[in-house]
Amino acid sequence: MLKGKSASNGHAVGTIVLYEKPDINVEEEACNDPEKCLKTLTDALDQAYNDLDKVREKALESMGEEHAEIFEAHQQMVKDPEIMSQVKAMIENDKVDAASAYKRVTDQFITIFEGMDDEYFRGRAADIKDIQYRILALLKGVEYKDLSALDEPTIIVAHDLAPSDTAGLDLDYVKGFITEVGGMTSHTAIMARALSLPAMVGVKDAIKTLEDNELVYLNATDGDIVRNPDDATLEKAKQRVKEQEKIKARLQAYKDKPTKTKDGIAIPLYANVGSDQDVPIAREGGAEGVGLYRTEFLFMNSDTMPDEETQRKAYEAVFKAFHPVIVRTLDIGGDKSLPYLEQDEEMNPFLGKRAIRLTLQEKELFKTQIRALLIGAKDQEDVRIMFPMIARKDELMSAKEVVHEVITDLKNEGEKYQSNIHYGIMIEIPAAALNAQSLAKEVDFFSIGTNDLIQYTYAADRMNENVSYLYEPFDPTLLRLMKHTRDAASEEGTEIGVCGEMAGDLDAALILSGLGMDELSMSPGSILPLREALSKVSKEDLKALADEVLKLDEAQPVKEKVKAFKEKHGIE
Ligand code: PEP
Ligand code: MG
């Protein structure tokens, strides 16, 4: 049995296809007839352009516009006049063959892009590499496996997968992915989640160990790859796959519908995202908006501080894709650190200079982010800025003051920006929940961060297994604290949602809906099951459930009440 990290949960049974791209050897040859060499090149470029047309159409069909756009950009790069003119000059002046000239020029572009500070441009280097391989393969007659022509249930095994590898996939037959490298945010991982296909990444030596055509049971839920499963395992695996398919098909009916209770009350379900790369997953998951954009991932995935322009692009991409988008300012500190930002050693980092406490002290960093947000949202209806870890009103007022300072700067510079600003705060510190009424007067919305609210309410580290018994979302004390916050928000006409993991737990989400939360934001995969569940009950049913559990004083009976509620209403 092989092990790895699960990047997308689920079960699959299929035969292995090892997907390797052979190295292409480009040795420089003399070109005695530049016209002929140029023709060879333009033929290859035309061919690549047409091939990409097919890939793009397939991507559009299976994964939607966002993914298809990648290939439109690739097509533009194939026809890029700057590259073309340099290659042409090299063939004509240096008399080198088409493949060498093309490689030399594109290598230069790759080096330039890879050396750029801007993360966006660094990402483009991978695109050029992708295209370079495609063209060189055509020029050198190198064949590689066509993943769009499969004829049996297949699990693709690769070192890594590039966008163009996965775009042309025959989705009738591809059942899962295994790659040797990559993390949760790698292309393979994102793509797999977007397609709801099981995937494991970081499976060391997968190519060396697994064999073409071998049968495997990919259990990405538990992180196992079972080679040549015995009859009993195979039977169990097939059963799991079947159940999974059945549920998936049933839930698809809810994908493009707004979330409504049986009596037609809307409870929008939003996605939590960490970058613009999560947009396709959020769409595929049926999100009605983004309820939490964790901007710190952009900072954590970079070796240097992302500048204003890099940030603006990242924010704009998500703003363009959804409305509303609740974007949270940097939540660094605690377990999230930035290697390039010097921070004092702290005894209790989760109780230390974290989130708003840090950004209020690192004012330039904070201002750059606010500028990027306001400029990035300039063409939208509004911008919804949320401050994390607010404990007291003075912090909120200082944060708003920073926004005002940024606005003054932008006005003086004549820069276009979004002036329709909705302010919000995370309610994740008990003091803020208890003081909700006063805070509600100063903001347009609250979002309860249950991940932290639980740890701070019970003084139980959210990562510490030794005290995990205290980390209990169903404890009525916590529910009452949330109810208090909800009531305070209502009195002031402030909207309130929940964006911690609890919102994505179906059982807990039923209680939160009953408490009267205006929206819930979660991992995209949790949206459709909850949408289905909410369609089976009325707002009154949910409220009655919440009223009942609020009277209890322990988690276990709360869970039992929810279980009975689900049974009564036919919720799976
Ligand atoms: C939370 O605390 O619930 C939350 C959503 O924020 P994070 O998990 O990023 O701390
Ligand atoms: Mg938090």
Side-chain angles (χ1 to χ4, degrees):
M1 189 146 65
L2 274 177
K3 290 262 178 201
K5 279 179 284 180
S6 171
S8 174
N9 284 349
H11 304 267
V13 174
T15 48
I16 294 288
V17 166
L18 296 178
Y19 181 62
E20 285 177 280
K21 278 181 166 175
D23 285 339
I24 302 175
N25 201 3
V26 181
E27 268 177 39
E28 210 161 288
E29 288 164 30
C31 168
N32 301 321
D33 184 350
E35 215 168 290
K36 198 168 150 213
C37 292
L38 260 176
K39 171 91 172 58
T40 313
L41 178 69
T42 46
D43 284 352
L45 293 177
D46 287 344
Q47 171 79 46
Y49 191 91
N50 294 338
D51 290 349
L52 280 165
D53 242 349
K54 285 182 213 129
V55 175
R56 188 174 50 77
E57 268 165 36
K58 202 146 193 174
L60 187 66
E61 227 173 77
S62 57
M63 279 174 278
E65 213 161 309
E66 227 108 9
H67 276 280
E69 274 172 15
I70 301 176
F71 302 104
E72 223 172 280
H74 279 199
Q75 285 181 305
Q76 279 166 15
M77 284 187 217
V78 167
K79 294 271 167 169
D80 186 89
E82 184 57 36
I83 296 178
M84 192 54 203
S85 82
Q86 289 191 29
V87 178
K88 184 167 179 270
M90 206 173 276
I91 293 174
E92 285 170 353
N93 304 334
D94 299 355
K95 308 259 182 311
V96 292
D97 67 290
S100 310
Y102 190 79
K103 184 168 185 317
R104 263 213 246 161
V105 171
T106 43
D107 274 349
Q108 279 169 13
F109 277 92
I110 291 166
T111 311
I112 294 169
F113 279 115
E114 278 178 342
M116 285 189 175
D117 280 343
D118 188 310
E119 187 164 322
Y120 173 80
F121 286 112
R122 281 206 305 273
R124 300 293 67 75
D127 289 325
I128 304 179
K129 270 190 202 159
D130 216 0
I131 292 159
Q132 186 194 57
Y133 190 91
R134 185 176 281 279
I135 307 280
L136 294 180
L138 284 168
L139 287 170
K140 293 285 179 188
V142 170
E143 288 195 12
Y144 51 103
K145 256 178 215 149
D146 184 0
L147 297 181
S148 59
L150 304 165
D151 52 12
E152 59 179 345
T154 298
I155 291 168
I156 310 281
V157 180
H159 179 65
D160 197 8
L161 289 165
S164 59
D165 300 326
T166 46
L169 290 177
D170 188 336
L171 290 172
D172 287 340
Y173 291 108
V174 173
K175 299 297 171 197
F177 302 108
I178 298 169
T179 61
E180 295 185 322
V181 295
M184 283 303 282
T185 56
S186 65
H187 173 73
T188 314
I190 290 170
M191 195 73 100
R193 291 197 294 270
L195 297 170
S196 299
L197 287 175
M200 274 167 57
V201 295
V203 182
K204 259 176 96 192
D205 293 331
I207 293 185
K208 239 193 305 175
T209 317
L210 296 164
E211 282 165 31
D212 253 326
N213 296 320
E214 138 175 44
L215 186 73
V216 299
Y217 165 31
L218 170 62
N219 175 352
T221 303
D222 302 318
D224 296 331
I225 299 163
V226 187
R227 304 179 63 184
N228 297 312
D230 58 35
D231 286 351
T233 312
L234 193 60
E235 204 37 56
K236 207 157 91 196
K238 283 187 175 162
Q239 199 53 39
R240 283 181 175 159
V241 171
K242 220 169 163 182
E243 278 162 28
Q244 183 179 283
E245 297 293 319
K246 232 169 78 187
I247 296 171
K248 228 198 253 182
R250 195 185 73 214
L251 291 177
Q252 279 308 304
Y254 294 89
K255 193 172 147 216
D256 298 313
K257 286 189 192 153
T259 314
K260 290 212 171 121
T261 56
K262 197 165 82 180
D263 50 338
I265 309 291
I267 305 178
L269 300 184
Y270 298 150
N272 292 350
V273 303
S275 80
D276 55 335
Q277 295 204 12
D278 291 342
V279 163
I281 311 171
R283 274 201 204 295
E284 202 53 38
E288 292 164 83
V290 168
L292 172 64
Y293 179 2
R294 288 183 165 103
T295 57
E296 55 273 11
F297 287 110
L298 174 67
F299 290 71
M300 288 158 67
N301 290 336
S302 172
D303 300 330
T304 51
M305 186 76 78
D307 61 13
E308 182 185 317
E309 186 61 4
T310 309
Q311 290 188 50
R312 181 192 59 73
K313 281 190 189 132
Y315 305 150
E316 198 177 74
V318 179
F319 293 153
K320 274 189 181 158
F322 281 106
H323 187 269
V325 172
I326 295 177
V327 55
R328 182 174 76 180
T329 62
L330 256 189
D331 183 359
I332 288 297
D335 61 329
K336 302 174 199 158
S337 63
L338 300 180
Y340 47 85
L341 184 74
E342 231 180 88
Q343 277 234 73
D344 295 336
E345 271 291 304
E346 293 183 308
M347 281 263 260
N348 296 299
F350 270 110
L351 303 179
K353 201 169 113 184
R354 185 188 161 191
I356 198 73
R357 304 167 181 190
L358 181 141
T359 45
L360 285 176
Q361 289 180 47
E362 300 281 345
K363 205 122 160 248
E364 280 317 302
L365 163 67
F366 198 20
K367 277 179 128 177
T368 306
Q369 178 168 45
I370 302 289
R371 280 179 70 94
L373 287 174
L374 296 183
I375 299 173
K378 68 177 189 305
D379 297 326
Q380 311 304 320
E381 223 172 281
D382 55 34
V383 61
R384 301 177 189 218
I385 301 178
M386 176 158 74
F387 304 118
M389 289 277 293
I390 294 287
R392 259 186 2 203
K393 192 166 134 187
D394 55 336
E395 292 173 316
L396 166 62
M397 301 319 276
S398 303
K400 283 172 80 172
E401 187 46 43
V402 173
V403 180
H404 295 149
E405 283 172 31
V406 169
I407 290 174
T408 308
D409 291 347
L410 292 172
K411 271 190 188 148
N412 289 340
E413 292 164 30
E415 188 75 64
K416 282 212 182 95
Y417 68 95
Q418 178 56 254
S419 57
N420 185 9
I421 304 170
H422 298 228
Y423 290 101
I425 57 172
M426 297 277 299
I427 299 285
E428 50 188 345
I429 296 181
L434 293 167
N435 192 28
Q437 185 132 19
S438 150
L439 292 167
K441 291 187 205 302
E442 302 299 334
V443 292
D444 304 293
F445 63 91
F446 284 159
S447 185
I448 301 181
T450 49
N451 306 343
D452 279 313
L453 187 62
I454 300 172
Q455 81 164 343
Y456 294 131
T457 301
Y458 298 89
D461 184 341
R462 64 196 251 190
M463 326 278 231
N464 188 338
E465 275 304 308
N466 296 326
V467 292
S468 60
Y469 74 98
L470 284 168
Y471 197 91
E472 178 49 82
F474 289 88
D475 192 286
T477 310
L478 177 81
L479 302 176
R480 281 194 278 273
L481 191 58
M482 290 204 267
K483 166 85 163 69
H484 167 82
T485 313
R486 156 75 277 182
D487 291 346
S490 298
E491 275 187 43
E492 298 301 330
T494 299
E495 279 180 31
I496 180 165
V498 180
C499 65
E501 286 306 307
M502 194 175 161
D505 177 295
L506 196 142
D507 290 17
L510 293 172
I511 301 177
L512 297 174
S513 309
L515 289 175
M517 298 301 166
D518 295 312
E519 48 93 353
L520 300 174
S521 191
M522 60 202 74
S523 301
S526 301
I527 293 175
L528 294 184
L530 183 55
R531 184 169 293 155
E532 180 190 58
L534 290 172
S535 75
K536 294 183 173 177
V537 289
S538 71
K539 189 80 192 194
E540 266 317 300
D541 296 331
L542 292 162
K543 187 168 176 308
L545 171 70
D547 287 346
E548 251 187 277
V549 300
L550 283 170
K551 288 188 216 136
L552 302 168
D553 59 5
E554 273 183 300
Q556 195 48 39
V558 173
K559 289 181 189 169
E560 279 156 23
K561 282 267 183 262
V562 181
K563 189 164 172 250
F565 178 87
K566 283 167 63 185
E567 271 165 17
K568 180 173 166 200
H569 295 282
I571 296 170
E572 281 176 37

